[in-house]
Amino acid sequence: MLLHNLPLVAWRSRKVATGTQTEARYGRSLILDRAPKRLFDLSVALACLFLLLPLFVLVAFLVWAVDRKSPFYSHRRLGRGGKTFGCLKFRSMRMNGDEILRRHLAENPAAMAEWTQNRKLKNDPRITIIGHVLRKTSLDELPQLINILRGEMSLVGPRPIVDAELEKYGDAASAYFAVRPGLTGAWQISGRSDTTYDERVRLDRQYVESRSFAGDIAIILRTVPAVFLVKGSY
């Protein structure tokens, strides 16, 4: 068994022991996620894909033009119920990004500390020139509209995480797994990477415990200025 899968295995073990309690606590969220919210997700995602098709083509071409490689990137993330899925993005990094990251972290203790704490780097050597623009504007995340159509994500919810981040959620993991990950969410409109990871976890749990359709609409409306202000995005 790979070490990076241990947090997920541990959570699944706890889920078996506390499944009834988790279902009772977040049952309302699960019900909401199955009907009106899902219909809303599908309607908006389809409309956005149709309206933004020319932008999709342009961005895909610009990414491809950098190194003549695939403009899309799929990364394994954790979804509702602990299921993994391929989270889609426009590729903002070099093809040998994992190797570049390992070398950079090994040579820079400060970067290693930043990566360990946030799972992100303000000065990431893997990112291409066009990638910096895509990340600043959040355009790299547009392909996740396809994840929404597949039923793997929602318009609003906790941002998708990887196995290694699960241990940071602690008891809040049950809240994260109760809903689909979102294209945007409370963390997105609250400073994103300018906040601490503990604050991110608190926002995700708070969203799941108090979520509503009106609340989702409010988050979507606040996402637009947050994206234009590029606060906390890198």
Side-chain angles (χ1 to χ4, degrees):
M1 182 182 299
L2 296 178
L3 290 178
H4 68 267
N5 287 330
L6 288 179
L8 180 57
V9 173
W11 175 82
R12 283 174 173 160
S13 297
R14 292 197 303 272
K15 180 185 177 186
V16 172
T18 61
T20 302
Q21 180 182 0
T22 299
E23 189 73 21
R25 186 171 186 180
Y26 299 114
R28 174 175 170 272
S29 294
L30 291 170
I31 293 172
L32 282 173
D33 216 30
R34 289 173 183 155
K37 181 174 171 64
R38 180 63 183 145
L39 180 60
F40 179 71
D41 285 344
L42 286 172
S43 301
V44 175
L46 281 170
C48 287
L49 282 170
F50 177 75
L51 293 173
L52 298 175
L53 184 58
L55 179 61
F56 261 74
V57 174
L58 175 61
V59 173
F61 172 77
L62 291 175
V63 175
W64 172 84
V66 171
D67 54 14
R68 303 298 194 272
K69 304 292 184 181
S70 172
F72 298 102
Y73 176 72
S74 177
H75 194 261
R76 302 307 297 175
R77 300 293 175 109
L78 298 175
R80 188 171 67 175
K83 295 180 180 179
T84 60
F85 69 97
C87 185
L88 299 174
K89 286 189 175 188
F90 281 120
R91 184 169 57 84
S92 61
M93 296 184 180
R94 306 179 195 281
M95 293 298 290
N96 60 335
D98 290 342
E99 178 185 344
I100 294 173
L101 177 63
R102 281 194 296 268
R103 186 168 59 249
H104 181 69
L105 296 181
E107 296 172 353
N108 297 273
M112 173 62 83
E114 181 184 0
W115 178 260
T116 300
Q117 181 177 358
N118 302 319
R119 303 295 297 181
K120 279 194 172 187
L121 296 174
K122 284 191 175 182
N123 298 303
D124 196 323
R126 300 171 295 172
I127 302 177
T128 63
I129 295 176
I130 185 65
H132 282 289
V133 177
L134 295 179
R135 288 185 164 223
K136 277 290 185 182
T137 57
S138 296
L139 288 174
D140 62 319
E141 296 171 356
L142 282 181
Q144 288 164 29
L145 290 168
I146 298 173
N147 288 119
I148 294 174
L149 294 181
R150 292 176 177 173
E152 298 160 337
M153 291 181 63
S154 177
L155 287 170
V156 181
R159 286 296 294 157
I161 63 174
V162 298
D163 285 356
E165 293 176 277
L166 183 57
E167 61 185 14
K168 294 180 181 291
Y169 274 73
D171 293 338
S174 293
Y176 174 86
F177 286 131
V179 297
R180 292 182 176 93
L183 179 62
T184 187
W187 177 67
Q188 293 286 97
I189 62 173
S190 302
R192 299 170 70 175
S193 297
D194 286 343
T195 64
T196 65
Y197 209 101
D198 287 343
E199 179 69 5
R200 173 178 177 170
V201 172
R202 185 191 67 78
L203 289 168
D204 284 349
R205 170 179 255 169
Q206 184 180 60
Y207 167 77
V208 174
E209 293 179 344
S210 61
R211 63 192 288 266
S212 65
F213 182 72
D216 282 4
I217 295 296
I219 289 175
I220 291 172
L221 292 177
R222 290 179 61 187
T223 297
V224 177
V227 169
F228 279 109
L229 291 173
V230 297
K231 184 179 179 181
S233 60
Y234 54 81

